[in-house]
Amino acid sequence: MSTLGKKAWWTLPENFHSPLVFYMEEDLEKHIFGQGDKYLHSIEVHSHTLIQLEPWFTATGQTRVIVVGPPRARKWLLSMIRSLGSRDSFCQDQGLEMLRRVRSQPLTNQELHHHQIPCAYHWPSE
């Protein structure tokens, strides 16, 4: 069961519609998921999502990221990633706190509902 509802999130087909797909720099991927994706499983379990990381052969070494799961959980993860990739130190600090949280324990409904940080992230051009 998950903290998101009465049924396990992965049993609900709507959590697999419209996956979140984006690209991130390889360095940011390693910062979030660890060397050899050490933290990938704990982030997935704690955020109630499945995350697929696909390295792409580009000049800047980007990784294609695909996230499925409840919409609030996908938004929360995107907010964390944007914060960590921001040039603003306040946003980076918030992103680091979010990263520590999702690596160490499951996210609660309250966190998923109330934690949206509007941080600017300069996505790499393709």
Side-chain angles (χ1 to χ4, degrees):
M1 295 286 186
S2 91
T3 60
L4 298 174
K6 294 178 182 170
K7 293 181 101 177
W9 73 264
W10 58 88
T11 64
L12 303 172
E14 61 267 21
N15 289 329
F16 293 88
H17 296 291
S18 302
L20 175 63
V21 180
F22 59 94
Y23 295 83
M24 74 166 60
E25 297 295 328
E26 186 179 12
D27 292 344
L28 183 58
E29 176 210 342
K30 282 189 171 73
H31 178 66
I32 293 170
F33 299 105
Q35 187 67 32
D37 300 331
K38 176 180 178 179
Y39 301 109
L40 176 61
H41 182 69
S42 62
I43 291 172
E44 287 178 318
V45 170
H46 294 157
S47 67
H48 315 286
T49 61
L50 290 174
I51 303 168
Q52 182 175 347
L53 303 172
E54 300 176 348
W56 283 68
F57 297 102
T58 64
T60 59
Q62 295 176 343
T63 299
R64 181 178 178 200
V65 182
I66 303 169
V67 182
V68 295
R72 288 178 299 180
R74 293 190 309 238
K75 285 181 183 179
W76 192 95
L77 282 175
L78 184 59
S79 179
M80 178 193 75
I81 292 165
R82 284 182 146 176
S83 297
L84 288 166
S86 174
R87 294 180 183 160
D88 180 89
S89 61
F90 172 77
C91 289
Q92 288 176 0
D93 290 345
Q94 292 297 315
L96 281 173
E97 184 55 38
M98 293 170 80
L99 180 60
R100 284 188 207 104
R101 175 77 169 112
V102 75
R103 281 183 180 173
S104 65
Q105 55 191 325
L107 300 174
T108 65
N109 276 326
Q110 183 177 10
E111 287 171 308
L112 293 173
H113 274 92
H114 301 293
H115 206 290
Q116 299 298 317
I117 301 172
C119 289
Y121 176 77
H122 300 281
W123 293 101
S125 54
E126 296 181 37

